[in-house]
């Protein structure tokens, strides 16, 4: 069941009203949230906790690892301390916020969770682990408590199935760093009630986030579309481009960071894991694992270890610098695959990257995985740095022209092969036939 069955959704950037709730749900009650709990005290869990503390909400962070809890407390304090140093927060306010925080280690947290109004699970992407946590939370939490997962890919229906309250199970996908990024995808499972969705939208608004309702397909909206861009980018490396060239093209287009820089920030291991899983119908037949697998085998995980697609020197730990070793790995991969390397133009790189994303956006709309195109645009502008002045992938597609995109896609599918680039989907073709634009579906 996609979100189209739910009449709750924020209007997006292209529609001109970001964050506005259009709610026609008479049974829903926007109950207040007096306290919440976060399961997992890592960087993401800490960032989420900081959002609630800043909004004046009593927050419990649970982690079985005492070291992780100590780091969590230190990390949250440092977030607020940085605001104090910049004169954006008083020392008294910092102390008041930290007084709202409770950290609990080990497995003895059942009593502490008895009265919380919502729990957000924020452990790593392991469906089995998350199901085990949801079983426990269902036993520990009061009947009215919402149980949410901060997941990027795990099926919300799998988590709901192990509880006695599937209507109150929902996804809430924060973007890293959670205390800075404005966006949260609210993932509606098959049994998630409209009341639960409305309460989550109210909660995201309270912590100054923009909540966007999305469907429960693999990767939801953000990662499902982003994976297509990553796929094309790695294909380009095998065919003749180098990481700094592809990233340079994207930054000239208006992205603040290139696709390979973003992978280094998030972690190459995370990207590789997302590329490796997912339903077959969402995958291209061409494998692009050769170069990422080699880099991971060499311990090149990204910024956190000082090397990934780029190198990061100790004196400038966040500045991406091209690495001849990676360039050679790209050339060697082409040789292994029997690909004659060629010059990749800026237009080809941009069109393949962007139009594959546009095609997947059309598929999402056809399948009910997104409420409307402006929501997709909002997610890409706020979640991935898509140039605001270009309006998001759907708005951009309207400016280029659906006919033009279809013509280019058909040419790429022919020259690159359908295992590398897809032909335009039926929804996109029908749009062109009926003289429709993405903006026509924003009503």
């Amino acid at each position: 069941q996609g979100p189209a069955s739910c009449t709750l959704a924020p209007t997006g950037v292209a529609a001109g009203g970001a964050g506005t709730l259009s709610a026609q749900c008479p049974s829903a009650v926007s109950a207040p949230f007096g306290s919440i709990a976060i399961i997992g005290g890592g960087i993401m869990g800490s960032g989420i906790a900081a959002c609630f503390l800043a909004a004046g909400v009593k927050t419990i962070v649970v982690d079985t690892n005492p070291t992780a809890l100590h780091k969590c407390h230190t990390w949250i304090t440092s977030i607020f301390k940085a605001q104090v140093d910049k004169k954006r927060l008083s020392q008294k306010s910092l102390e008041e916020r930290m007084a709202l925080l409770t950290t609990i280690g080990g497995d003895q947290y059942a009593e502490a969770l008895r009265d919380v109004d919502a729990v957000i699970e924020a452990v790593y992407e392991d469906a089995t682990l998350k199901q085990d946590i949801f079983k426990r939370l269902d036993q520990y939490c009061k009947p009215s408590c919402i149980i949410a997962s901060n997941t990027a890919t795990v099926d919300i229906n799998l988590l709901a199935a192990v509880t006695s309250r599937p209507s109150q199970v929902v996804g809430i996908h924060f973007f890293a760093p959670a205390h800075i990024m404005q966006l949260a995808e609210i993932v509606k499972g098959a049994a998630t009630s409209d009341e639960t969705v409305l309460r989550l939208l109210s909660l995201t608004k309270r912590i100054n986030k923009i909540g966007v309702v999305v469907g429960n397909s693999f990767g939801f909206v953000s990662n499902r579309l982003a994976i297509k861009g990553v796929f094309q980018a790695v294909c380009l490396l095998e065919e003749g481009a180098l990481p700094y060239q592809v990233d340079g093209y994207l930054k000239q287009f208006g992205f603040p960071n290139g696709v390979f820089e973003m992978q280094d920030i998030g972690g190459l291991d995370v990207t590789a894991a997302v590329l490796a899983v997912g339903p077959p119908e969402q995958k291209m037949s061409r494998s692009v694992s050769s170069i990422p697998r080699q880099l991971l085998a060499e311990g090149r995980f990204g910024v956190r270890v000082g090397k990934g697609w780029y190198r990061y020197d100790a004196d400038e730990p966040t500045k991406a610098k091209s690495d001849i070793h990676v360039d050679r790995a790209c050339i060697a991969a082409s040789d292994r695959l029997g690909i004659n390397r060629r010059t990749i133009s800026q237009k080809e790189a941009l069109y393949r990257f962007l139009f594959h994303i546009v095609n997947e956006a059309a598929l999402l709309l056809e399948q009910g995985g997104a409420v409307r195109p402006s929501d997709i645009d909002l997610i890409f502008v706020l979640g991935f740095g898509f140039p605001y002045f270009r309006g998001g992938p759907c708005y951009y597609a309207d400016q280029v022209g659906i006919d033009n995109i279809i013509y280019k896609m058909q040419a790429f599918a022919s020259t690159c092969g359908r295992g590398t680039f897809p032909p335009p989907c039926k929804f996109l073709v029908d749009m062109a036939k009926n003289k429709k634009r993405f903006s026509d579906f924003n009503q």
Side-chain angles (χ1 to χ4, degrees):
Q1 177 179 335
S5 64
C6 178
T7 55
L8 309 169
T11 56
V13 172
T20 304
L21 301 183
S22 82
Q24 301 283 331
C25 194
S27 63
V29 178
S30 184
F33 290 86
S35 61
I36 65 106
I38 311 292
I39 309 300
I43 291 177
M44 180 58 80
S46 300
I48 296 170
C51 295
F52 286 100
L53 294 171
V57 180
K58 291 181 181 179
T59 304
I60 300 169
V61 177
V62 176
D63 200 298
T64 56
N65 185 340
T67 302
L69 279 179
H70 176 73
K71 288 182 178 179
C72 171
H73 194 282
T74 302
W75 174 246
I76 294 172
T77 302
S78 70
I79 290 173
F80 296 144
K81 181 64 166 61
Q83 296 176 11
V84 172
D85 293 342
K86 295 176 181 177
K87 311 298 184 184
R88 296 175 181 172
L89 188 73
S90 68
Q91 181 63 32
K92 180 182 178 182
S93 294
L94 182 154
E95 293 168 0
E96 289 173 346
R97 290 179 179 184
M98 294 306 295
L100 296 171
L101 175 65
T102 301
T103 57
I104 300 176
D107 293 324
Q108 308 304 312
Y109 53 85
E111 184 67 24
L113 299 185
R114 180 187 296 178
D115 295 320
V116 297
D117 297 305
V119 181
I120 299 174
E121 164 272 308
V123 302
Y124 56 89
E125 292 288 271
D126 182 313
T128 302
L129 173 63
K130 289 176 183 286
Q131 283 182 311
D132 180 63
I133 290 171
F134 269 63
K135 285 180 185 177
R136 297 188 189 189
L137 294 176
D138 189 43
Q139 297 170 12
Y140 301 157
C141 298
K142 64 185 180 183
S144 62
C145 179
I146 290 174
I147 307 179
S149 177
N150 174 58
T151 177
T153 58
V154 173
D155 187 345
I156 299 303
N157 296 337
L158 290 177
L159 304 180
V162 299
T163 74
S164 62
R165 62 182 86 192
S167 66
Q168 292 159 241
V169 173
V170 65
I172 180 165
H173 176 214
F174 289 88
F175 289 69
H179 64 289
I180 293 175
M181 299 296 279
Q182 291 178 277
L183 184 67
E185 285 181 306
I186 296 175
V187 188
K188 188 176 189 295
T192 308
S193 70
D194 285 354
E195 178 179 350
T196 296
V197 172
L198 182 59
R199 290 186 67 196
L200 259 290
L201 286 169
S202 173
L203 185 63
T204 54
K205 187 176 182 181
R206 181 170 177 181
I207 60 174
N208 294 315
K209 303 291 184 191
I210 296 175
V212 183
V213 183
V214 299
N216 187 36
S217 63
F218 177 79
F220 315 132
V221 170
S222 58
N223 283 304
R224 177 169 168 176
L225 270 63
I227 288 168
K228 303 308 180 185
V230 171
F231 173 83
Q232 286 301 324
V234 180
C235 285
L236 293 168
L237 298 188
E238 295 179 349
E239 294 168 25
L242 296 172
Y244 74 89
Q245 292 172 330
V246 176
D247 281 356
Y249 294 153
L250 290 170
K251 287 191 281 188
Q252 287 174 33
F253 181 77
F255 283 93
N257 299 101
V259 63
F260 295 108
E261 290 177 346
M262 289 301 295
Q263 288 179 60
D264 274 358
I265 293 169
L268 262 71
D269 49 340
V270 176
T271 301
V274 172
L275 284 171
V277 296
E281 65 271 14
Q282 287 188 27
K283 290 185 176 181
M284 303 298 290
S285 61
R286 176 173 172 176
S287 172
V288 292
S289 62
S290 177
I291 304 172
R293 187 167 56 234
Q294 178 182 339
L295 299 184
L296 288 173
E298 296 169 354
R300 304 182 72 100
F301 296 105
V303 172
R304 70 177 187 265
V305 297
K307 58 182 181 179
W309 289 107
Y310 297 94
R311 62 181 174 85
Y312 302 86
D313 297 338
D315 58 334
E316 294 179 297
T318 61
K319 184 175 182 179
K321 298 178 181 179
S322 60
D323 192 328
I324 188 65
H325 176 81
V326 175
D327 296 348
R328 289 171 177 163
C330 295
I331 295 168
S334 302
D335 291 340
R336 285 195 306 273
L337 296 168
I339 298 174
N340 293 321
R341 292 180 69 82
R342 59 186 175 84
T343 300
I344 306 291
S345 70
Q346 180 178 20
K347 275 190 175 181
E348 179 183 352
L350 283 174
Y351 287 167
R352 284 175 60 177
F353 180 87
L354 294 168
F355 294 169
H356 198 161
I357 289 173
V358 168
N359 192 63
E360 198 67 22
L363 277 170
L364 261 176
L365 292 166
E366 181 180 27
Q367 297 165 0
V371 176
R372 52 183 174 245
S374 57
D375 288 349
I376 295 173
D377 287 342
L378 183 63
I379 288 168
F380 258 72
V381 169
L382 297 182
F384 292 103
F386 196 98
Y388 189 92
F389 65 91
R390 297 191 187 275
C394 297
Y395 185 86
Y396 169 73
D398 281 350
Q399 308 316 302
V400 173
I402 304 302
D403 283 332
N404 294 330
I405 289 176
I406 287 175
Y407 175 79
K408 286 291 185 183
M409 288 190 66
Q410 289 171 335
F412 287 139
S414 176
T415 57
C416 301
R418 293 192 173 199
T420 296
F421 200 91
C425 69
K426 184 178 183 299
F427 191 87
L428 208 58
V429 172
D430 287 345
M431 282 175 64
K433 285 181 180 178
N434 297 316
K435 307 298 182 184
K436 294 286 188 180
R437 296 156 56 94
F438 277 109
S439 58
D440 293 325
F441 298 92
N442 281 328
Q443 307 306 318

